[in-house]
Amino acid sequence: MAARHDPYELLAEYYDGAWYEYSEYMEHLITDLERESRRRFTKICDAACGSGLLLQNLDDGERTLSGYDRSSQMIERARMRLPKAEFVEGDIRDTPPFVGPFDLITCVYDSLNYLLEENELRRFFRSVREIIAPEGVLVVDFNNHTMYQERDGSLHHRLIGGVGIRERLAYDPGPPPLAVTTFEFPDGVEEHRQRPWEAEAVEGILVEEGWHLLDTMDVMDDDVDQPSGKVVYIAVPA
């Protein structure tokens, strides 16, 4: 039987090769926010920063960049990518490891879908509210049930750096709903457990935890020109 590993213990090595494009999408979204608001985000914190892809795209040599992630393997790669940024190990379920205040806080790549309980999500929104500047902006994304439902039972073969990886997804609509993605590597297996979060729940919790929702937008699936099931939320302190 293949050895079991924690999420991103093995995937960290291959992550950039498969998920780079979304960091470019988020970079454009954030720079558009700056242009439309006629302001500049000079101090940025990326929660669940992974390997630092988004912060690398936002790096212009003048911003102060910080990120945290529970995966030591991801943090190691982020530090190599951006040696002048500050990266520490930390879980989005816990109090952020930085004081702030930050002009921009992000948590993307469906990282918040790993929070399976409402109290965990509330704690995240409440804790980052404490480290954001009064005029700061929060940008997060979530997968809703569409993302997982349409991929239920799927088997995807990836070839990254000459290494074959199999990705399986199984979705149980619950309640409670749960998506389990299994990555099979030559040297082991990882199981990723995520919960879909719907707009009504996300928006309600945001407001109750001290945020004002500015905008939401569907991330489109370019292959079929329709919403992918990933939604971006933009909020500011209320």
Side-chain angles (χ1 to χ4, degrees), residues 11-23 51 53 74 77 81 109 158-162 165:
L11 185 57
E13 182 177 348
Y14 309 100
Y15 191 85
D16 296 358
W19 284 275
Y20 184 85
E21 289 185 3
Y22 189 62
S23 66
S51 62
L53 278 174
M74 286 292 218
R77 291 180 175 277
R81 169 171 277 121
Y109 285 99
R158 298 181 183 272
L159 184 63
I160 304 175
I165 301 168

Side-chain angles (χ1 to χ4, degrees), residues 5-218:
H5 294 262
D6 292 333
Y8 298 102
E9 186 177 346
L10 299 177
L11 185 57
E13 182 177 348
Y14 309 100
Y15 191 85
D16 296 358
W19 284 275
Y20 184 85
E21 289 185 3
Y22 189 62
S23 66
E24 294 181 325
Y25 171 88
M26 292 305 305
E27 174 200 1
H28 295 316
L29 184 151
I30 289 166
T31 53
D32 284 347
L33 274 176
E34 289 183 307
R35 183 173 57 255
E36 292 168 4
S37 62
R38 298 181 182 179
R39 62 172 298 185
R40 176 174 168 74
F41 303 130
T42 59
K43 191 172 182 180
I44 300 174
C45 175
D46 189 14
C49 64
S51 62
L53 278 174
L54 176 57
L55 290 180
Q56 180 186 45
N57 282 9
L58 294 173
D59 182 28
D60 60 5
E62 298 180 358
R63 304 185 199 264
T64 300
L65 305 175
S66 304
Y68 65 102
D69 197 286
R70 69 180 300 183
S71 167
S72 61
Q73 291 81 10
M74 286 292 218
I75 288 296
E76 180 181 353
R77 291 180 175 277
R79 287 171 176 161
M80 290 189 293
R81 169 171 277 121
L82 289 170
K84 293 183 179 180
E86 183 178 10
F87 292 105
V88 300
E89 289 185 43
D91 196 318
I92 56 175
R93 296 172 178 83
D94 301 328
T95 301
F98 303 113
V99 175
F102 292 97
D103 303 312
L104 173 70
I105 297 177
T106 57
C107 189
V108 294
Y109 285 99
D110 56 82
S111 298
L112 291 172
N113 288 102
Y114 285 90
L115 304 185
L116 305 183
E117 303 293 337
E118 181 178 313
N119 67 325
E120 294 177 330
L121 185 56
R122 287 186 177 277
R123 191 180 307 124
F124 171 80
F125 285 139
R126 190 181 311 130
S127 63
V128 294
R129 177 71 175 76
E130 297 298 318
I131 63 170
I132 200 164
E135 303 298 324
V137 178
L138 174 70
V139 177
V140 298
D141 68 18
F142 289 87
N143 293 339
N144 61 31
H145 74 281
T146 299
M147 173 68 77
Y148 301 113
Q149 194 170 55
E150 293 187 351
R151 291 163 175 76
D152 181 30
S154 64
L155 173 60
H156 186 61
H157 294 268
R158 298 181 183 272
L159 184 63
I160 304 175
V163 176
I165 301 168
R166 291 197 296 183
E167 177 184 345
R168 304 174 183 269
L169 190 145
Y171 177 54
D172 180 355
L178 180 67
V180 179
T181 304
T182 303
F183 291 93
E184 300 176 8
F185 304 90
D187 49 351
V189 174
E190 289 182 7
E191 186 176 273
H192 295 240
R193 300 166 67 83
Q194 294 180 300
R195 170 181 174 172
W197 287 96
E198 305 306 316
E200 182 178 1
V202 174
E203 294 172 13
I205 295 172
L206 272 169
V207 170
E208 291 168 8
E209 297 303 333
W211 297 91
H212 171 68
L213 185 65
L214 288 182
D215 199 5
T216 64
M217 57 195 70
D218 291 304

